[in-house]
Amino acid sequence: MSKDSGLGGSGSAPWFKQLHWQIAMGIVFALIYGIAIRTIWPLAGAADPDAILAIWNNAAAPFAFLGDLFIRALKLIIIPLVVLSVVTGIRNIGDASSLGKMGLRTVGYYLLTTFLAVLTGLVVVNLIDPGVGLDLGFEAGERIAPKPLSEVFANMIPKSALAAFAANDMLPSIFVAILMGVGLLSIGKDGEPLAKLFDSGNALVLKITNWIMATAPVGVAALFIKTLLDPKLADLASFFTDLGAYMLAVVMGLGVHAFILLPLLYKMFVRKSPLAFLHAMAPSLLTAFSTASSSATYPVTLDCVTERAGVSRKSASFVLPLGATINMDGTALYEAVAAIFIANALGVDLSLTQQAIVALTATLAAIGAAGVPSAGLVTMIIVLESVGLPAGAYGLVVAVDRVLDMCRTTVNVWGDAVGAAVVDATLPEPSVVNKSQDT
Ligand code: ASP
């Protein structure tokens, strides 16, 4: 795939033709542009703040438009890509017992790593203890009621498959795709014509995904500029000072999980260099960072894992779509840290048992969170309520949520990618690079 898309996964193309470098250059451009606007027209102490905000808005407008186009293009391709890759992925597994093994390993890996992430978060937040003695003048925020977890699971079975596809609803769509894949596996020869149709549809959406990915450097930069010039982040500096220790705890926890624990797992099971894998995943991680959405990043993730990192399409197309919706290490860690920070800031001392409840509910809440921006902020209410903290207290962390969302989404996607590689490596026949989609 990479040969005609100019993505340069091999490392042999000049650096500026490689997608991750192009995205990195986009991000640097966005930073320079955003900071320049904020410096030339500073909001702090401005005589007419509305006029300054209007300037920021005008400066961001063309980029907001481009960013919107990029997100729309990604959303356009998600459901066809997920459904077709799950159906063809399952059918290509060949027999039901390998499917069972892959399913068990995938779910086992997800639960284990999510729980590890939460524990890391709890250790780090207890060491840093952000929010203790902080008088943030807590105001109850707007009350958002998260869906109960039972409802999230019940909704996995859609009343209408087409309605689930049309609503870009990932879990129910994956459920339908798994049914169709397993069905095709069990009807054998009778399913061949249909399987061929799915295979060819899959090749088509992969090609379109390729085209969309080629626009990622512009899309990612545009989205980042939009965030940098968002009036909600007007007082960035003071938020960073007030909530600095809390943000540090989240970022440190995410760092330990992403740079120590996951690479160790990768090394243990895959027995290859985690650094090389990180390098191969760079376009996907940078897209996750700028979109703050695992689901929107999924097309890029699938491409990086299979084409750049050489994980078999068979494993990737089963493990990744599920991961994009239910495996959220970063979100789970973030929710645990945020709950402890909020408790500290409100002067509540959580006991060890209560922290265990936080660990458990954060794991479940992350599974229930959709792969879209701010989803984790909403499901965090489940964690707060589980230990008797007021739901409205999530208002304390809303201000810095976007920045942390970008960081945790990157870790979510990294966790999915490591999962695909680990599951692939532990299956009976470890993969070689699968080039079948290049044609
Ligand atoms: N934005 C995250 C994701 O898509 C979910 C969250 O809000 O934590 O992975």
Side-chain angles (χ1 to χ4, degrees):
M1 181 188 284
S2 49
K3 63 180 180 278
D4 59 354
S5 62
L7 304 179
S10 64
S12 54
W15 69 273
F16 54 87
K17 282 200 178 160
Q18 297 179 23
L19 186 68
H20 57 281
W21 281 114
Q22 292 177 345
I23 298 177
M25 283 190 286
I27 288 185
V28 170
F29 167 76
L31 264 177
I32 294 173
Y33 182 84
I35 291 173
I37 301 282
R38 294 181 76 114
T39 314
I40 299 169
W41 290 282
L43 194 65
D48 185 356
D50 286 345
I52 299 288
L53 283 179
I55 293 175
W56 286 19
N57 198 24
N58 286 339
F63 296 101
F65 177 71
L66 286 176
D68 190 38
L69 292 187
F70 180 56
I71 291 280
R72 277 169 170 272
L74 285 171
K75 286 195 173 157
L76 166 75
I77 206 71
I78 291 172
I79 290 294
L81 191 56
V82 166
V83 171
L84 290 168
S85 73
V86 171
V87 175
T88 51
I90 290 181
R91 188 174 179 275
N92 291 339
I93 288 172
D95 65 278
S97 81
S98 319
L99 176 66
K101 275 189 201 126
M102 195 184 287
L104 273 183
R105 268 158 226 218
T106 305
V107 172
Y109 168 88
Y110 286 165
L111 287 178
L112 175 78
T113 50
T114 307
F115 199 63
L116 274 179
V118 172
L119 290 186
T120 308
L122 284 178
V123 170
V124 173
V125 76
N126 278 299
L127 286 178
I128 297 182
D129 242 355
V132 172
L134 197 70
D135 182 16
L136 284 174
F138 161 61
E139 281 170 34
E142 169 202 353
R143 218 187 146 88
I144 308 177
K147 282 189 201 158
L149 279 178
S150 56
E151 199 180 309
V152 173
F153 288 114
N155 284 346
M156 264 174 49
I157 304 182
K159 288 188 206 144
S160 148
L162 293 185
F165 297 162
N168 265 358
D169 219 346
M170 283 275 265
L171 265 190
S173 301
I174 291 175
F175 180 82
V176 174
I178 291 178
L179 269 188
M180 293 200 290
V182 175
L184 276 180
L185 254 189
S186 46
I187 58 176
K189 256 194 159 340
D190 282 348
E192 258 165 30
L194 198 54
K196 276 210 170 97
L197 185 72
F198 281 130
D199 278 343
S200 133
N202 198 29
L204 173 68
V205 292
L206 285 169
K207 176 54 72 187
I208 297 174
T209 304
N210 237 331
W211 293 335
I212 297 173
M213 278 183 61
T215 69
V218 176
V220 165
L223 287 170
F224 198 31
I225 288 176
K226 192 177 149 205
T227 306
L228 284 171
L229 295 177
D230 187 336
K232 271 189 260 143
L233 287 185
D235 209 357
L236 208 55
S238 93
F239 278 135
F240 283 175
T241 341
D242 283 348
L243 301 177
Y246 156 66
M247 294 180 75
L248 184 76
V250 176
V251 172
M252 267 182 63
L254 290 176
V256 170
H257 189 71
F259 293 114
I260 300 178
L261 286 174
L262 289 177
L264 271 177
L265 279 178
Y266 183 86
K267 189 82 202 157
M268 255 170 68
F269 288 101
V270 186
R271 303 194 173 280
K272 286 190 196 159
S273 152
L275 261 185
F277 189 54
L278 189 71
H279 181 257
M281 290 308 301
S284 159
L285 300 178
L286 292 168
T287 307
F289 182 74
S290 72
T291 58
S293 167
S294 321
S295 298
T297 309
Y298 169 70
V300 190
T301 311
L302 180 67
D303 188 81
C304 290
V305 166
T306 53
E307 300 296 324
R308 293 170 59 99
V311 172
S312 78
R313 196 166 282 282
K314 179 170 131 178
S315 304
S317 52
F318 179 77
V319 181
L320 290 177
L322 268 185
T325 8
I326 65 171
N327 181 45
M328 304 216 174
D329 298 358
T331 300
L333 185 151
Y334 153 84
E335 293 189 349
V337 173
I340 305 293
F341 165 70
I342 288 172
N344 283 347
L346 298 180
V348 180
D349 198 9
L350 293 180
S351 66
L352 215 60
T353 321
Q354 282 174 310
Q355 297 218 13
I357 296 176
V358 166
L360 208 66
T361 45
T363 305
L364 292 176
I367 293 174
V372 298
S374 299
L377 188 64
V378 179
T379 60
M380 188 178 69
I381 295 169
I382 301 172
V383 185
L384 295 180
E385 288 189 329
S386 72
V387 285
L389 293 168
Y394 83 97
L396 288 178
V397 292
V398 164
V400 288
D401 187 63
R402 178 69 191 195
V403 185
L404 295 180
D405 197 359
M406 292 159 84
C407 301
R408 65 183 186 252
T409 306
T410 311
V411 176
N412 290 344
V413 169
W414 175 229
D416 297 343
V418 173
V422 167
V423 170
D424 192 45
T426 58
L427 285 174
E429 309 154 44
S431 67
V432 286
V433 178
N434 182 336
K435 291 279 179 197
S436 62
Q437 300 302 331
D438 267 353
T439 45

PDB file of all heavy atoms in Angstrom, residues 291-296 324 327-328 330-332 334-335 369-379 401 404-406 408-410 412-413, ligand 1:
ATOM      1  N   THR A 291      -6.548  14.204  16.719  1.00  0.00           N
ATOM      2  CA  THR A 291      -8.010  14.067  16.601  1.00  0.00           C
ATOM      3  C   THR A 291      -8.658  13.779  17.954  1.00  0.00           C
ATOM      4  O   THR A 291      -9.861  13.966  18.104  1.00  0.00           O
ATOM      5  CB  THR A 291      -8.393  12.904  15.662  1.00  0.00           C
ATOM      6  OG1 THR A 291      -7.810  11.704  16.174  1.00  0.00           O
ATOM      7  CG2 THR A 291      -7.924  13.130  14.246  1.00  0.00           C
ATOM      8  N   ALA A 292      -7.882  13.301  18.922  1.00  0.00           N
ATOM      9  CA  ALA A 292      -8.421  12.865  20.226  1.00  0.00           C
ATOM     10  C   ALA A 292      -9.539  11.850  20.037  1.00  0.00           C
ATOM     11  O   ALA A 292     -10.494  11.809  20.805  1.00  0.00           O
ATOM     12  CB  ALA A 292      -8.889  14.045  21.076  1.00  0.00           C
ATOM     13  N   SER A 293      -9.424  11.030  19.011  1.00  0.00           N
ATOM     14  CA  SER A 293     -10.450  10.005  18.786  1.00  0.00           C
ATOM     15  C   SER A 293      -9.828   8.718  18.264  1.00  0.00           C
ATOM     16  O   SER A 293      -9.261   8.691  17.169  1.00  0.00           O
ATOM     17  CB  SER A 293     -11.491  10.534  17.788  1.00  0.00           C
ATOM     18  OG  SER A 293     -12.295   9.472  17.332  1.00  0.00           O
ATOM     19  N   SER A 294      -9.946   7.646  19.067  1.00  0.00           N
ATOM     20  CA  SER A 294      -9.405   6.354  18.618  1.00  0.00           C
ATOM     21  C   SER A 294     -10.161   5.856  17.402  1.00  0.00           C
ATOM     22  O   SER A 294      -9.581   5.243  16.516  1.00  0.00           O
ATOM     23  CB  SER A 294      -9.537   5.274  19.683  1.00  0.00           C
ATOM     24  OG  SER A 294      -9.291   5.729  20.944  1.00  0.00           O
ATOM     25  N   SER A 295     -11.479   6.100  17.387  1.00  0.00           N
ATOM     26  CA  SER A 295     -12.279   5.595  16.263  1.00  0.00           C
ATOM     27  C   SER A 295     -11.892   6.289  14.973  1.00  0.00           C
ATOM     28  O   SER A 295     -11.702   5.647  13.946  1.00  0.00           O
ATOM     29  CB  SER A 295     -13.763   5.808  16.520  1.00  0.00           C
ATOM     30  OG  SER A 295     -14.145   5.101  17.650  1.00  0.00           O
ATOM     31  N   ALA A 296     -11.769   7.620  15.034  1.00  0.00           N
ATOM     32  CA  ALA A 296     -11.403   8.349  13.821  1.00  0.00           C
ATOM     33  C   ALA A 296     -10.008   7.953  13.352  1.00  0.00           C
ATOM     34  O   ALA A 296      -9.712   7.981  12.165  1.00  0.00           O
ATOM     35  CB  ALA A 296     -11.473   9.854  14.061  1.00  0.00           C
ATOM     36  N   ALA A 324     -10.305  -0.235  19.297  1.00  0.00           N
ATOM     37  CA  ALA A 324     -10.619   1.185  19.141  1.00  0.00           C
ATOM     38  C   ALA A 324     -11.849   1.573  19.956  1.00  0.00           C
ATOM     39  O   ALA A 324     -12.021   2.738  20.310  1.00  0.00           O
ATOM     40  CB  ALA A 324     -10.842   1.512  17.666  1.00  0.00           C
ATOM     41  N   ASN A 327     -10.799  -0.986  24.184  1.00  0.00           N
ATOM     42  CA  ASN A 327      -9.521  -1.036  24.902  1.00  0.00           C
ATOM     43  C   ASN A 327      -8.954   0.370  25.053  1.00  0.00           C
ATOM     44  O   ASN A 327      -8.441   0.936  24.102  1.00  0.00           O
ATOM     45  CB  ASN A 327      -8.527  -1.911  24.135  1.00  0.00           C
ATOM     46  CG  ASN A 327      -7.201  -2.008  24.854  1.00  0.00           C
ATOM     47  OD1 ASN A 327      -7.154  -2.214  26.072  1.00  0.00           O
ATOM     48  ND2 ASN A 327      -6.121  -1.833  24.127  1.00  0.00           N
ATOM     49  N   MET A 328      -9.080   0.933  26.240  1.00  0.00           N
ATOM     50  CA  MET A 328      -8.643   2.317  26.429  1.00  0.00           C
ATOM     51  C   MET A 328      -7.787   2.429  27.679  1.00  0.00           C
ATOM     52  O   MET A 328      -8.258   2.844  28.748  1.00  0.00           O
ATOM     53  CB  MET A 328      -9.856   3.229  26.554  1.00  0.00           C
ATOM     54  CG  MET A 328     -10.770   3.121  25.374  1.00  0.00           C
ATOM     55  SD  MET A 328     -11.474   4.679  24.979  1.00  0.00           S
ATOM     56  CE  MET A 328     -12.316   4.267  23.473  1.00  0.00           C
ATOM     57  N   GLY A 330      -5.293   4.483  28.238  1.00  0.00           N
ATOM     58  CA  GLY A 330      -5.067   5.879  28.606  1.00  0.00           C
ATOM     59  C   GLY A 330      -6.266   6.466  29.329  1.00  0.00           C
ATOM     60  O   GLY A 330      -6.136   7.159  30.345  1.00  0.00           O
ATOM     61  N   THR A 331      -7.451   6.144  28.817  1.00  0.00           N
ATOM     62  CA  THR A 331      -8.679   6.672  29.423  1.00  0.00           C
ATOM     63  C   THR A 331      -8.866   6.126  30.837  1.00  0.00           C
ATOM     64  O   THR A 331      -9.211   6.870  31.767  1.00  0.00           O
ATOM     65  CB  THR A 331      -9.891   6.311  28.543  1.00  0.00           C
ATOM     66  OG1 THR A 331      -9.687   6.895  27.258  1.00  0.00           O
ATOM     67  CG2 THR A 331     -11.195   6.811  29.126  1.00  0.00           C
ATOM     68  N   ALA A 332      -8.616   4.828  31.012  1.00  0.00           N
ATOM     69  CA  ALA A 332      -8.784   4.213  32.339  1.00  0.00           C
ATOM     70  C   ALA A 332      -7.830   4.861  33.343  1.00  0.00           C
ATOM     71  O   ALA A 332      -8.227   5.217  34.465  1.00  0.00           O
ATOM     72  CB  ALA A 332      -8.529   2.717  32.240  1.00  0.00           C
ATOM     73  N   TYR A 334      -6.417   7.801  33.127  1.00  0.00           N
ATOM     74  CA  TYR A 334      -6.828   9.190  33.330  1.00  0.00           C
ATOM     75  C   TYR A 334      -7.993   9.288  34.316  1.00  0.00           C
ATOM     76  O   TYR A 334      -8.019  10.144  35.196  1.00  0.00           O
ATOM     77  CB  TYR A 334      -7.210   9.783  31.962  1.00  0.00           C
ATOM     78  CG  TYR A 334      -8.201  10.904  32.026  1.00  0.00           C
ATOM     79  CD1 TYR A 334      -7.777  12.211  32.277  1.00  0.00           C
ATOM     80  CD2 TYR A 334      -9.564  10.666  31.867  1.00  0.00           C
ATOM     81  CE1 TYR A 334      -8.691  13.231  32.355  1.00  0.00           C
ATOM     82  CE2 TYR A 334     -10.481  11.687  31.939  1.00  0.00           C
ATOM     83  CZ  TYR A 334     -10.047  12.966  32.186  1.00  0.00           C
ATOM     84  OH  TYR A 334     -10.945  13.975  32.281  1.00  0.00           O
ATOM     85  N   GLU A 335      -8.975   8.394  34.158  1.00  0.00           N
ATOM     86  CA  GLU A 335     -10.156   8.475  35.029  1.00  0.00           C
ATOM     87  C   GLU A 335      -9.794   8.201  36.478  1.00  0.00           C
ATOM     88  O   GLU A 335     -10.320   8.841  37.392  1.00  0.00           O
ATOM     89  CB  GLU A 335     -11.225   7.490  34.549  1.00  0.00           C
ATOM     90  CG  GLU A 335     -11.771   7.902  33.189  1.00  0.00           C
ATOM     91  CD  GLU A 335     -12.981   7.121  32.737  1.00  0.00           C
ATOM     92  OE1 GLU A 335     -13.295   6.106  33.382  1.00  0.00           O
ATOM     93  OE2 GLU A 335     -13.614   7.540  31.751  1.00  0.00           O
ATOM     94  N   ALA A 369     -16.474   3.652  27.369  1.00  0.00           N
ATOM     95  CA  ALA A 369     -16.299   4.941  26.678  1.00  0.00           C
ATOM     96  C   ALA A 369     -16.134   4.715  25.180  1.00  0.00           C
ATOM     97  O   ALA A 369     -15.435   3.799  24.762  1.00  0.00           O
ATOM     98  CB  ALA A 369     -15.062   5.661  27.223  1.00  0.00           C
ATOM     99  N   ALA A 370     -16.792   5.554  24.382  1.00  0.00           N
ATOM    100  CA  ALA A 370     -16.640   5.444  22.934  1.00  0.00           C
ATOM    101  C   ALA A 370     -15.298   6.065  22.539  1.00  0.00           C
ATOM    102  O   ALA A 370     -14.723   6.846  23.296  1.00  0.00           O
ATOM    103  CB  ALA A 370     -17.780   6.173  22.248  1.00  0.00           C
ATOM    104  N   GLY A 371     -14.832   5.742  21.350  1.00  0.00           N
ATOM    105  CA  GLY A 371     -13.541   6.283  20.919  1.00  0.00           C
ATOM    106  C   GLY A 371     -13.668   7.648  20.279  1.00  0.00           C
ATOM    107  O   GLY A 371     -13.199   7.886  19.171  1.00  0.00           O
ATOM    108  N   VAL A 372     -14.331   8.556  20.974  1.00  0.00           N
ATOM    109  CA  VAL A 372     -14.525   9.908  20.433  1.00  0.00           C
ATOM    110  C   VAL A 372     -14.027  10.933  21.457  1.00  0.00           C
ATOM    111  O   VAL A 372     -13.891  10.605  22.639  1.00  0.00           O
ATOM    112  CB  VAL A 372     -16.020  10.179  20.109  1.00  0.00           C
ATOM    113  CG1 VAL A 372     -16.509   9.223  19.041  1.00  0.00           C
ATOM    114  CG2 VAL A 372     -16.884  10.065  21.351  1.00  0.00           C
ATOM    115  N   PRO A 373     -13.771  12.173  21.027  1.00  0.00           N
ATOM    116  CA  PRO A 373     -13.251  13.157  21.978  1.00  0.00           C
ATOM    117  C   PRO A 373     -14.161  13.323  23.197  1.00  0.00           C
ATOM    118  O   PRO A 373     -15.387  13.299  23.071  1.00  0.00           O
ATOM    119  CB  PRO A 373     -13.193  14.454  21.167  1.00  0.00           C
ATOM    120  CG  PRO A 373     -13.076  14.014  19.759  1.00  0.00           C
ATOM    121  CD  PRO A 373     -13.849  12.721  19.667  1.00  0.00           C
ATOM    122  N   SER A 374     -13.551  13.456  24.349  1.00  0.00           N
ATOM    123  CA  SER A 374     -14.241  13.714  25.620  1.00  0.00           C
ATOM    124  C   SER A 374     -15.093  12.577  26.145  1.00  0.00           C
ATOM    125  O   SER A 374     -15.738  12.728  27.180  1.00  0.00           O
ATOM    126  CB  SER A 374     -15.141  14.955  25.541  1.00  0.00           C
ATOM    127  OG  SER A 374     -14.355  16.062  25.254  1.00  0.00           O
ATOM    128  N   ALA A 375     -15.107  11.437  25.471  1.00  0.00           N
ATOM    129  CA  ALA A 375     -15.941  10.324  25.953  1.00  0.00           C
ATOM    130  C   ALA A 375     -15.536   9.930  27.364  1.00  0.00           C
ATOM    131  O   ALA A 375     -16.377   9.650  28.218  1.00  0.00           O
ATOM    132  CB  ALA A 375     -15.819   9.133  25.021  1.00  0.00           C
ATOM    133  N   GLY A 376     -14.226   9.960  27.631  1.00  0.00           N
ATOM    134  CA  GLY A 376     -13.733   9.549  28.939  1.00  0.00           C
ATOM    135  C   GLY A 376     -14.170  10.496  30.045  1.00  0.00           C
ATOM    136  O   GLY A 376     -14.356  10.094  31.185  1.00  0.00           O
ATOM    137  N   LEU A 377     -14.345  11.741  29.679  1.00  0.00           N
ATOM    138  CA  LEU A 377     -14.776  12.744  30.658  1.00  0.00           C
ATOM    139  C   LEU A 377     -16.185  12.416  31.145  1.00  0.00           C
ATOM    140  O   LEU A 377     -16.503  12.573  32.328  1.00  0.00           O
ATOM    141  CB  LEU A 377     -14.756  14.117  29.980  1.00  0.00           C
ATOM    142  CG  LEU A 377     -14.999  15.331  30.859  1.00  0.00           C
ATOM    143  CD1 LEU A 377     -13.897  15.466  31.883  1.00  0.00           C
ATOM    144  CD2 LEU A 377     -15.065  16.588  29.999  1.00  0.00           C
ATOM    145  N   VAL A 378     -17.014  11.954  30.223  1.00  0.00           N
ATOM    146  CA  VAL A 378     -18.398  11.631  30.583  1.00  0.00           C
ATOM    147  C   VAL A 378     -18.456  10.351  31.412  1.00  0.00           C
ATOM    148  O   VAL A 378     -19.105  10.307  32.468  1.00  0.00           O
ATOM    149  CB  VAL A 378     -19.265  11.486  29.308  1.00  0.00           C
ATOM    150  CG1 VAL A 378     -20.684  11.121  29.674  1.00  0.00           C
ATOM    151  CG2 VAL A 378     -19.234  12.777  28.508  1.00  0.00           C
ATOM    152  N   THR A 379     -17.725   9.301  30.967  1.00  0.00           N
ATOM    153  CA  THR A 379     -17.831   8.051  31.728  1.00  0.00           C
ATOM    154  C   THR A 379     -17.108   8.152  33.079  1.00  0.00           C
ATOM    155  O   THR A 379     -17.316   7.318  33.946  1.00  0.00           O
ATOM    156  CB  THR A 379     -17.289   6.837  30.936  1.00  0.00           C
ATOM    157  OG1 THR A 379     -15.926   7.066  30.621  1.00  0.00           O
ATOM    158  CG2 THR A 379     -18.084   6.584  29.678  1.00  0.00           C
ATOM    159  N   ASP A 401      -9.260  19.346  29.822  1.00  0.00           N
ATOM    160  CA  ASP A 401      -9.549  18.000  29.301  1.00  0.00           C
ATOM    161  C   ASP A 401      -9.025  17.766  27.904  1.00  0.00           C
ATOM    162  O   ASP A 401      -8.540  16.694  27.585  1.00  0.00           O
ATOM    163  CB  ASP A 401     -11.043  17.698  29.350  1.00  0.00           C
ATOM    164  CG  ASP A 401     -11.286  16.253  28.970  1.00  0.00           C
ATOM    165  OD1 ASP A 401     -10.799  15.384  29.707  1.00  0.00           O
ATOM    166  OD2 ASP A 401     -11.896  15.990  27.923  1.00  0.00           O
ATOM    167  N   LEU A 404      -5.393  16.736  27.766  1.00  0.00           N
ATOM    168  CA  LEU A 404      -5.191  15.397  28.315  1.00  0.00           C
ATOM    169  C   LEU A 404      -5.858  14.339  27.445  1.00  0.00           C
ATOM    170  O   LEU A 404      -5.393  13.207  27.351  1.00  0.00           O
ATOM    171  CB  LEU A 404      -5.727  15.338  29.751  1.00  0.00           C
ATOM    172  CG  LEU A 404      -4.979  16.229  30.743  1.00  0.00           C
ATOM    173  CD1 LEU A 404      -5.574  16.114  32.137  1.00  0.00           C
ATOM    174  CD2 LEU A 404      -3.495  15.872  30.796  1.00  0.00           C
ATOM    175  N   ASP A 405      -6.966  14.729  26.796  1.00  0.00           N
ATOM    176  CA  ASP A 405      -7.661  13.799  25.897  1.00  0.00           C
ATOM    177  C   ASP A 405      -6.732  13.413  24.739  1.00  0.00           C
ATOM    178  O   ASP A 405      -6.642  12.247  24.347  1.00  0.00           O
ATOM    179  CB  ASP A 405      -8.934  14.470  25.364  1.00  0.00           C
ATOM    180  CG  ASP A 405      -9.920  13.470  24.778  1.00  0.00           C
ATOM    181  OD1 ASP A 405      -9.608  12.266  24.779  1.00  0.00           O
ATOM    182  OD2 ASP A 405     -11.003  13.891  24.325  1.00  0.00           O
ATOM    183  N   MET A 406      -6.016  14.423  24.224  1.00  0.00           N
ATOM    184  CA  MET A 406      -5.091  14.151  23.122  1.00  0.00           C
ATOM    185  C   MET A 406      -4.024  13.146  23.577  1.00  0.00           C
ATOM    186  O   MET A 406      -3.683  12.208  22.861  1.00  0.00           O
ATOM    187  CB  MET A 406      -4.439  15.463  22.652  1.00  0.00           C
ATOM    188  CG  MET A 406      -5.435  16.408  21.985  1.00  0.00           C
ATOM    189  SD  MET A 406      -4.889  18.141  21.961  1.00  0.00           S
ATOM    190  CE  MET A 406      -3.860  18.169  20.527  1.00  0.00           C
ATOM    191  N   ARG A 408      -4.224  10.959  26.228  1.00  0.00           N
ATOM    192  CA  ARG A 408      -4.712   9.616  26.576  1.00  0.00           C
ATOM    193  C   ARG A 408      -5.157   8.856  25.330  1.00  0.00           C
ATOM    194  O   ARG A 408      -5.017   7.630  25.261  1.00  0.00           O
ATOM    195  CB  ARG A 408      -5.824   9.675  27.629  1.00  0.00           C
ATOM    196  CG  ARG A 408      -7.115  10.333  27.215  1.00  0.00           C
ATOM    197  CD  ARG A 408      -8.111  10.394  28.367  1.00  0.00           C
ATOM    198  NE  ARG A 408      -9.399  10.908  27.941  1.00  0.00           N
ATOM    199  CZ  ARG A 408      -9.887  12.102  28.243  1.00  0.00           C
ATOM    200  NH1 ARG A 408      -9.174  12.919  28.997  1.00  0.00           N
ATOM    201  NH2 ARG A 408     -11.071  12.480  27.821  1.00  0.00           N
ATOM    202  N   THR A 409      -5.683   9.576  24.328  1.00  0.00           N
ATOM    203  CA  THR A 409      -6.090   8.885  23.104  1.00  0.00           C
ATOM    204  C   THR A 409      -4.872   8.272  22.412  1.00  0.00           C
ATOM    205  O   THR A 409      -4.944   7.158  21.881  1.00  0.00           O
ATOM    206  CB  THR A 409      -6.807   9.870  22.148  1.00  0.00           C
ATOM    207  OG1 THR A 409      -7.866  10.497  22.860  1.00  0.00           O
ATOM    208  CG2 THR A 409      -7.373   9.154  20.943  1.00  0.00           C
ATOM    209  N   THR A 410      -3.746   8.996  22.437  1.00  0.00           N
ATOM    210  CA  THR A 410      -2.519   8.466  21.837  1.00  0.00           C
ATOM    211  C   THR A 410      -2.145   7.153  22.524  1.00  0.00           C
ATOM    212  O   THR A 410      -1.782   6.170  21.869  1.00  0.00           O
ATOM    213  CB  THR A 410      -1.368   9.490  22.004  1.00  0.00           C
ATOM    214  OG1 THR A 410      -1.845  10.763  21.576  1.00  0.00           O
ATOM    215  CG2 THR A 410      -0.156   9.113  21.185  1.00  0.00           C
ATOM    216  N   ASN A 412      -4.232   5.194  24.180  1.00  0.00           N
ATOM    217  CA  ASN A 412      -5.258   4.202  23.830  1.00  0.00           C
ATOM    218  C   ASN A 412      -4.889   3.484  22.533  1.00  0.00           C
ATOM    219  O   ASN A 412      -4.951   2.259  22.430  1.00  0.00           O
ATOM    220  CB  ASN A 412      -6.623   4.880  23.625  1.00  0.00           C
ATOM    221  CG  ASN A 412      -7.228   5.388  24.925  1.00  0.00           C
ATOM    222  OD1 ASN A 412      -6.801   4.985  26.008  1.00  0.00           O
ATOM    223  ND2 ASN A 412      -8.212   6.268  24.830  1.00  0.00           N
ATOM    224  N   VAL A 413      -4.510   4.280  21.539  1.00  0.00           N
ATOM    225  CA  VAL A 413      -4.207   3.713  20.219  1.00  0.00           C
ATOM    226  C   VAL A 413      -2.917   2.879  20.275  1.00  0.00           C
ATOM    227  O   VAL A 413      -2.828   1.795  19.692  1.00  0.00           O
ATOM    228  CB  VAL A 413      -4.114   4.843  19.170  1.00  0.00           C
ATOM    229  CG1 VAL A 413      -3.553   4.330  17.865  1.00  0.00           C
ATOM    230  CG2 VAL A 413      -5.490   5.458  18.949  1.00  0.00           C
TER     231      VAL A 413
HETATM  232  N1  ASP B   1     -10.892  10.416  23.258  1.00  0.00           N
HETATM  233  C1  ASP B   1     -10.646   9.092  23.741  1.00  0.00           C
HETATM  234  C2  ASP B   1     -10.513   8.130  22.590  1.00  0.00           C
HETATM  235  O1  ASP B   1     -11.091   8.313  21.563  1.00  0.00           O
HETATM  236  C3  ASP B   1     -11.699   8.639  24.683  1.00  0.00           C
HETATM  237  C4  ASP B   1     -11.624   9.513  25.899  1.00  0.00           C
HETATM  238  O2  ASP B   1     -12.251  10.561  25.917  1.00  0.00           O
HETATM  239  O3  ASP B   1     -10.898   9.160  26.827  1.00  0.00           O
HETATM  240  O4  ASP B   1      -9.806   7.168  22.680  1.00  0.00           O
END
